[in-house]
Amino acid sequence: MCGRTACTLAPDEVSRACSYRSRGGQRRQPRWRDGDADKYRPSYNKSPQSTSPVLLSQRHFDKDAPVDECVLASMRWGLVPAWFKEDDPRKMQYSTSNCRSENILEKKSYKSPLNKGQRCVILADGFYEWRREEKSKQPFFIYFPQTPSGSSQEKTEDQDDLATSAQSKETSERACSAEGGAFDSTEEGEAPCEWTGWRLLTMAGLFDCWTPPGGGEALYTYSVITVNASPNLQSIHDRMPAVLDGEEEVRRWLDFGEVKSPDALKLLQTKNSLTFHPVSSLVNNSRNNSAECLQPVDPGCKKPAVRG
């Protein structure tokens, strides 16, 4: 399962971190959907019902948009089906924060969005998972290994990089945004700067749009798709998010026009491409939101679950 994540980049950094190539090979940085950058709040400790950055095709909002154009949106975690008839989404009687890949075609809540091509990619620094022990649970932070090239093909000792990044967000590279290149490269001959910061975890998801029966603002929500855990994570938990590893997998998952559902579902595979480290029990309480939540700890050194 996936019940807690962290996403600590600023809105402009998220845009730079998930740049992509168009079908013509042009490097682009996705824009935020109107007003959504203001709805997103960076956090070291996101739980269901919170808002997260999600990458999806612009075609979902503009039918005339190029098929390969992506956009960033802020969506609430926990899918509310379009057909939900209550006047308050909090009245849902079951959890939709996760969707098992094996059950997508069996559950109405997920089958309908899938058939409509409502596929998205949830972005995060990583996610938390708890390993059951004799008298307690040990939390871990799980993420893509960080390498100079941004590739996850080789493991590296990156825990120190994570701690440094978490403690000093203000020192993150901001050269591109300072020079006006923080968004997509539609200027002729201009390409966005390469992102060399934290490689975001890209998780496959489904989204839906619910409107209150009596009218009102539309609510966009999502569910993280899960698969069986990879061999290196099985000692922590038996499930993990369906990770999309690399730009091509992300592109294929989002391109609902070219890649139909049966082929897209083949991307939902268990991948042994993540690394992890133990973190403080501080993360157990979702009200705790500081860099300390995701810093490596000695499992034998217990931290208080709540800080005053």
Side-chain angles (χ1 to χ4, degrees), residues 171-223:
T171 63
S172 297
E173 290 194 7
R174 299 179 184 272
C176 289
S177 55
E179 296 170 5
F183 296 102
D184 70 19
S185 58
T186 55
E187 296 295 331
E188 187 174 347
E190 182 180 343
C193 299
E194 180 182 1
W195 173 251
T196 57
W198 189 260
R199 183 191 176 194
L200 289 177
L201 188 63
T202 42
M203 300 175 283
L206 295 172
F207 76 92
D208 212 342
C209 178
W210 174 82
T211 302
E217 184 178 358
L219 175 66
Y220 284 87
T221 58
Y222 70 87
S223 180

Side-chain angles (χ1 to χ4, degrees), residues 251-280:
R251 185 195 71 79
R252 289 181 59 78
W253 180 252
L254 296 182
D255 194 343
F256 64 96
E258 179 183 88
V259 184
K260 302 304 181 184
S261 295
D263 290 326
L265 292 176
K266 295 176 183 177
L267 295 169
L268 306 179
Q269 302 293 327
T270 298
K271 297 184 178 72
N272 203 38
S273 57
L274 303 182
T275 190
F276 58 88
H277 63 254
V279 295
S280 166

Side-chain angles (χ1 to χ4, degrees), residues 54-302:
V54 171
L55 189 68
L56 68 163
S57 172
Q58 173 68 19
R59 266 248 177 130
H60 293 295
F61 304 114
D62 178 4
K63 293 184 178 180
D64 296 325
V67 69
D68 59 345
E69 183 177 344
C70 292
V71 65
L72 283 164
S74 291
M75 293 191 186
R76 201 184 79 165
W77 188 0
L79 187 144
V80 180
W83 46 261
F84 186 64
K85 301 301 182 184
E86 298 286 352
D87 59 358
D88 187 339
R90 292 174 295 183
K91 293 181 180 180
M92 285 187 61
Q93 299 298 309
Y94 53 93
S95 172
T96 55
S97 57
N98 288 172
C99 164
R100 294 176 67 95
S101 61
E102 303 91 332
N103 298 339
I104 286 179
L105 296 176
E106 301 171 9
K107 304 286 186 179
K108 180 183 177 182
S109 297
Y110 309 125
K111 182 178 180 179
S112 179
L114 179 69
N115 288 340
K116 294 177 183 176
Q118 293 173 186
R119 310 193 300 252
C120 64
V121 174
I122 299 94
L123 304 167
D125 294 7
F127 70 99
Y128 298 98
E129 193 54 85
W130 284 256
R131 181 175 66 196
R132 291 185 179 275
E133 299 182 346
E134 287 187 8
K135 297 182 179 180
S136 62
K137 293 181 180 181
Q138 172 60 53
F140 290 83
F141 188 60
I142 306 171
Y143 49 97
F144 273 138
Q146 305 294 306
T147 66
S149 64
S151 168
S152 65
Q153 298 304 309
E154 298 179 6
K155 271 194 174 184
T156 59
E157 295 295 327
D158 48 14
Q159 288 90 335
D160 290 340
D161 293 338
L162 174 65
T164 301
S165 174
Q167 290 176 311
S168 307
K169 297 302 293 181
E170 69 276 8
T171 63
S172 297
E173 290 194 7
R174 299 179 184 272
C176 289
S177 55
E179 296 170 5
F183 296 102
D184 70 19
S185 58
T186 55
E187 296 295 331
E188 187 174 347
E190 182 180 343
C193 299
E194 180 182 1
W195 173 251
T196 57
W198 189 260
R199 183 191 176 194
L200 289 177
L201 188 63
T202 42
M203 300 175 283
L206 295 172
F207 76 92
D208 212 342
C209 178
W210 174 82
T211 302
E217 184 178 358
L219 175 66
Y220 284 87
T221 58
Y222 70 87
S223 180
V224 176
I225 300 173
T226 66
V227 294
N228 289 325
S230 58
N232 69 323
L233 297 181
Q234 287 176 356
S235 64
I236 300 176
H237 200 277
D238 61 350
R239 303 289 293 183
M240 66 179 287
V243 173
L244 300 166
D245 193 355
E247 286 187 23
E248 180 60 16
E249 289 195 3
V250 169
R251 185 195 71 79
R252 289 181 59 78
W253 180 252
L254 296 182
D255 194 343
F256 64 96
E258 179 183 88
V259 184
K260 302 304 181 184
S261 295
D263 290 326
L265 292 176
K266 295 176 183 177
L267 295 169
L268 306 179
Q269 302 293 327
T270 298
K271 297 184 178 72
N272 203 38
S273 57
L274 303 182
T275 190
F276 58 88
H277 63 254
V279 295
S280 166
S281 59
L282 193 69
V283 75
N284 293 1
N285 190 323
S286 61
R287 291 177 297 176
N288 294 326
N289 180 18
S290 70
E292 191 176 352
C293 288
L294 46 69
Q295 290 175 0
V297 300
D298 179 348
C301 180
K302 302 299 183 182

